[in-house]
Amino acid sequence: MPLTSDPHRPTAPAQPDAGRLYSLVETLRQRAPLIHCLSNTVVENFVANVLLALGAAPAMVVDAGEAAEFAPVADALSINLGTLTEPQAVAMRAAVQAANAAGRPWVLDPVAVGHLSLRTRFAHELLAVAPAIIRGNASEIIALAGAAGGGRCVESTARSEAALPAAIALARARGAVVALTGETDYVTDGERVAGFANGDPVMQRVTGVGCALSATCAAFVGICSDRWLAACAAVAYTGVCGQLAARAHDVTPSAQAGPDAVSRPARPGSFMPSYLDWLAGLGQDDFLRLLRPADA
Amino acid sequence: MPLTSDPHRPTAPAQPDAGRLYSLVETLRQRAPLIHCLSNTVVENFVANVLLALGAAPAMVVDAGEAAEFAPVADALSINLGTLTEPQAVAMRAAVQAANAAGRPWVLDPVAVGHLSLRTRFAHELLAVAPAIIRGNASEIIALAGAAGGGRCVESTARSEAALPAAIALARARGAVVALTGETDYVTDGERVAGFANGDPVMQRVTGVGCALSATCAAFVGICSDRWLAACAAVAYTGVCGQLAARAHDVTPSAQAGPDAVSRPARPGSFMPSYLDWLAGLGQDDFLRLLRPADA
Amino acid sequence: MPLTSDPHRPTAPAQPDAGRLYSLVETLRQRAPLIHCLSNTVVENFVANVLLALGAAPAMVVDAGEAAEFAPVADALSINLGTLTEPQAVAMRAAVQAANAAGRPWVLDPVAVGHLSLRTRFAHELLAVAPAIIRGNASEIIALAGAAGGGRCVESTARSEAALPAAIALARARGAVVALTGETDYVTDGERVAGFANGDPVMQRVTGVGCALSATCAAFVGICSDRWLAACAAVAYTGVCGQLAARAHDVTPSAQAGPDAVSRPARPGSFMPSYLDWLAGLGQDDFLRLLRPADA
């Protein structure tokens, strides 16, 4: 499908090669990129453990002065607005400026943007300084795109399919890759759109899975200059590992777990250790066997 | 037992119907109340995961301006003084004021009050602005009641039975429901007193179980206007789930675990994932079978 | 080997009696020392859970005024620079001053010192006010010793063996016990040097294991006035528990785990609950059987 300069030009469905994605996982494990995280305090322990499990080296350097010193040393920077405060915004500004000056890519996770004034104002400020990847759910992506393109309202229960046009518009307007996550995940650079249908509903019942995916995008873009491919690898690997962890054997409430996967109760507690184990150890065969592309 | 207007009037032991308590659990799962938490940084990840496991939707919005915007949107607010700082007190004040103005109930967890000046001063300030539920251990409840009623000293090793008169006095003085937790848990609105004898000592060996119970009180009061019943449901459900999780099968130090439950070593690490699984999946039959009322 | 006043005097390899170390574990469980932690926000939940599993009572009191009130009440203080900010430095200064005035020992964990200016400056300020124990990896110990002794550069990939002379110099210059951790762990007071060869590489794949070891040093020095022995107990017990937890049975990625321990994938998720269980329950027989001294 030909791409044109028309703002209404069509996008091309494009599914990256699964073997190429897994090779990025191996590269990440070998190179152990140093990821600077300015995260929210609720999830930063989990984010650090996800990055360590992947084989990356997380560093939460939060003082504004130190953040500016550290961002150029790191391979990539991850910014998460979940528990934003004014002092934290100062440190984030300093880190982004230093990362940009040093040519280091950075990822924006605009948690709950659209609903709350400090983070919404700050997210739009950050959009103007060139995030490499933006990772959000349908509501967040619609909120960011709406402000860029003309004020669409926020639907907190929106499905990711419904937000795909907003994701494409946001990617084009900002020159960023957008990773839009939900029941189906999409990754677009405004031209190409890849879809993934892995994961499990229990991932919504554990805090920080989405935040950790944003940091995972930073880890992959720290070792791969093709930002779209990096975000695809982060989304695909997270989805397959999450799906495997959700179906892990758990003996605890076994009497309640029937053979039917739909009626089985969620086991968010068992999910967490299993998820980290799979992130650390998933092999190529399982990844290739389980990865499910979705139509874009 | 008749209730009178006498300040020394007797209270009535009152045990809520177990089936009614479990129906609140089901309501919570269906309605997924949005719970605004201004928690302490040590436990906020665990608190968020407990709320998600229950079926609630936690949100830690911590900036003072955003907290005032968000409190009216949430179904209930949970305030925890564990790692109080002056800037956090500003945000808590703003959130409580906004919640009260919007008619949203809020819960106070006065962690370690009585020993330390900033939190003790601030807890008394907050007592004056109408918490719906106060959840604390014996020392904390005695400290709060003592200041309200005449200066009793704090006994950090007090048993919950010894603090029950203080809990009743505090509930009457402040018009709040008091959930007093320990080996036996009590819930009183100053008139009715319910007692529960579930739980397990290992719950003292995991940080945040009490803090998460306070947030759980907020989740139940977010879906049930009878504050005493809401606090009873939170305490009862937490106790039964904790008891089940403490007795979960764990293969790790098995050679040391004898058949005698008393001498068996605590397994706080295994407890955590199992606890979240039970919170997410405990069925009615197990709840009804295991719930143990205690004499008040 | 005779000790002299010569600054180049030799040190004496000295291995503490394993039974004596385990008796300190039992003392800690019986006395439940109160440990004041000014930790980094990434790991404070895990640090609290490690202390609780050991049998200690953690308290994260972070406001500067309250920290000064609380430090004299606690049995020991643990200071961790991982997410240092200026306001946190104010609280740490207040806590250290109050601990010193009350004769309470305190432990310094100089996370990532040498690379970043705020924490490096502050770590040197703290070195001058008498930490009882300094716990760090090779890079951190070399950075601290270098500034004390003449400017050696920081090697972030240094092995602990290479940093042992720096650890000994730092211990002598500051009158502190230095716990230098890595593949082999060393504990020195500048005269005696003990070495330990337990642990497992997966401990590098979970955030906060090192930080929690520093807090564990505080727990042991809170019940044992011989600081070198206290640090030896902390290092030895952590290493044996970590080694057992790393080899715990995990069913999740079992198809990938071969019989060869070297090629087996890391399971950082399963490690965490198992580690806490072993900290809570490791018996004397297993400790004595598994403890491995290393040549200093």
Side-chain angles (χ1 to χ4, degrees), chain A:
Chain A
M1 192 181 298
L3 300 176
T4 76
S5 60
D6 178 353
H8 299 289
R9 66 191 182 275
T11 52
Q15 213 60 30
D17 177 69
R20 177 86 182 92
L21 295 180
Y22 193 81
S23 77
L24 291 179
V25 174
E26 292 178 312
T27 302
L28 197 162
R29 290 175 183 166
Q30 286 155 16
R31 290 188 36 200
L34 183 57
I35 307 304
H36 184 190
C37 298
L38 292 171
S39 184
N40 80 64
T41 57
V42 181
V43 303
E44 58 187 352
N45 182 274
F46 185 68
V47 168
N49 279 328
V50 164
L51 289 175
L52 284 167
L54 284 168
M60 278 69 174
V61 176
V62 301
D63 169 73
E66 289 196 344
E69 292 171 348
F70 188 67
V73 177
D75 292 295
L77 169 66
S78 178
I79 297 280
N80 178 299
L81 306 186
T83 54
L84 189 67
T85 59
E86 295 278 7
Q88 198 187 32
V90 171
M92 287 174 173
R93 243 179 233 119
V96 166
Q97 189 171 1
N100 281 345
R104 294 289 182 272
W106 65 279
V107 174
L108 175 63
D109 186 333
V111 181
V113 73
H115 295 84
L116 299 161
S117 59
L118 175 64
R119 71 187 65 199
T120 302
R121 206 163 54 235
F122 188 58
H124 286 292
E125 176 187 332
L126 290 180
L127 275 185
V129 285
I133 300 173
I134 302 165
R135 203 290 311 168
N137 64 28
S139 299
E140 293 155 356
I141 297 304
I142 290 170
L144 287 186
R152 290 189 45 175
C153 71
V154 175
E155 301 151 20
S156 63
T157 56
R159 292 171 59 89
S160 52
E161 287 81 347
L164 184 53
I168 294 166
L170 181 63
R172 286 178 178 177
R174 300 301 184 174
V177 166
V178 175
L180 163 65
T181 55
E183 194 175 327
T184 304
D185 303 319
Y186 298 100
V187 179
T188 181
D189 58 2
E191 310 299 333
R192 292 170 289 180
V193 180
F196 302 95
N198 290 99
D200 187 279
V202 78
M203 298 167 85
Q204 303 283 348
R205 301 286 291 276
V206 174
T207 193
V209 172
C211 298
L213 171 53
S214 301
T216 300
C217 287
F220 278 99
V221 83
I223 55 103
C224 171
S225 59
D226 181 335
R227 299 174 297 156
W228 178 77
L229 201 62
C232 285
V235 166
Y237 192 71
T238 293
V240 173
C241 289
Q243 182 173 313
L244 282 163
R247 292 163 194 180
H249 179 61
D250 169 52
V251 297
T252 306
S254 57
Q256 298 167 7
D260 178 7
V262 176
S263 68
R264 152 189 79 100
R267 291 176 299 216
S270 302
F271 172 82
M272 275 181 284
S274 181
Y275 184 54
L276 294 171
D277 287 350
W278 281 112
L279 289 172
L282 179 67
Q284 183 172 19
D285 289 353
D286 283 335
F287 180 77
L288 297 181
R289 180 172 57 83
L290 292 166
L291 185 65
R292 282 188 55 201
D295 289 338

Side-chain angles (χ1 to χ4, degrees), chain C residues 101-130:
Chain C
R104 294 289 182 273
W106 65 279
V107 174
L108 174 63
D109 186 333
V111 181
V113 72
H115 294 85
L116 299 161
S117 58
L118 175 64
R119 70 187 65 199
T120 302
R121 206 163 53 235
F122 188 58
H124 287 290
E125 177 188 331
L126 290 180
L127 276 185
V129 286

Side-chain angles (χ1 to χ4, degrees), chain C residues 14 17 68 71 79 85-86 97 124 131 138 175 182 184 197 209 213 217 228 234 240 296:
Chain C
D17 177 69
I79 297 279
T85 60
E86 295 278 8
Q97 189 172 2
H124 287 290
T184 304
V209 172
L213 172 53
C217 287
W228 178 77
V240 172

Side-chain angles (χ1 to χ4, degrees), chain B:
Chain B
M1 192 182 299
L3 301 176
T4 77
S5 61
D6 178 354
H8 301 290
R9 67 192 183 275
T11 52
Q15 213 60 30
D17 178 68
R20 177 85 182 93
L21 295 181
Y22 192 81
S23 76
L24 292 179
V25 173
E26 292 178 313
T27 302
L28 197 161
R29 289 175 184 166
Q30 286 154 16
R31 291 188 37 200
L34 183 56
I35 307 305
H36 185 191
C37 298
L38 292 171
S39 182
N40 80 63
T41 56
V42 181
V43 303
E44 58 186 352
N45 181 275
F46 185 68
V47 168
N49 279 328
V50 165
L51 289 175
L52 285 167
L54 284 167
M60 278 68 174
V61 176
V62 301
D63 170 72
E66 289 195 345
E69 291 171 348
F70 188 68
V73 177
D75 293 294
L77 169 66
S78 178
I79 297 280
N80 177 300
L81 305 185
T83 53
L84 189 67
T85 60
E86 295 278 8
Q88 198 187 31
V90 172
M92 288 174 173
R93 243 179 233 119
V96 166
Q97 189 172 1
N100 281 346
R104 296 287 182 273
W106 64 279
V107 175
L108 175 62
D109 186 333
V111 182
V113 74
H115 295 85
L116 299 162
S117 58
L118 174 64
R119 71 187 66 199
T120 302
R121 204 163 55 234
F122 188 59
H124 287 291
E125 176 189 331
L126 290 180
L127 276 186
V129 286
I133 300 173
I134 302 164
R135 204 289 311 167
N137 64 28
S139 299
E140 293 155 356
I141 297 303
I142 290 171
L144 287 186
R152 292 190 43 178
C153 69
V154 174
E155 300 151 19
S156 62
T157 57
R159 291 171 59 89
S160 52
E161 288 81 345
L164 183 53
I168 293 166
L170 180 64
R172 287 177 177 177
R174 300 302 183 174
V177 166
V178 175
L180 163 65
T181 54
E183 193 175 327
T184 304
D185 303 318
Y186 298 99
V187 179
T188 182
D189 59 2
E191 310 300 333
R192 294 169 288 180
V193 180
F196 301 95
N198 289 100
D200 186 279
V202 77
M203 298 168 83
Q204 303 282 349
R205 301 286 291 275
V206 174
T207 193
V209 172
C211 298
L213 172 53
S214 300
T216 299
C217 287
F220 278 99
V221 84
I223 55 103
C224 171
S225 58
D226 180 336
R227 298 175 297 157
W228 178 76
L229 202 62
C232 285
V235 166
Y237 192 71
T238 293
V240 173
C241 288
Q243 182 173 314
L244 282 163
R247 292 165 194 179
H249 178 60
D250 169 50
V251 297
T252 307
S254 58
Q256 297 167 6
D260 178 7
V262 176
S263 68
R264 155 188 76 101
R267 291 176 298 216
S270 302
F271 172 82
M272 276 181 284
S274 181
Y275 183 54
L276 294 171
D277 286 350
W278 280 111
L279 289 172
L282 179 68
Q284 184 172 17
D285 289 353
D286 283 337
F287 180 78
L288 297 180
R289 180 171 58 82
L290 291 167
L291 185 66
R292 284 188 54 201
D295 291 338

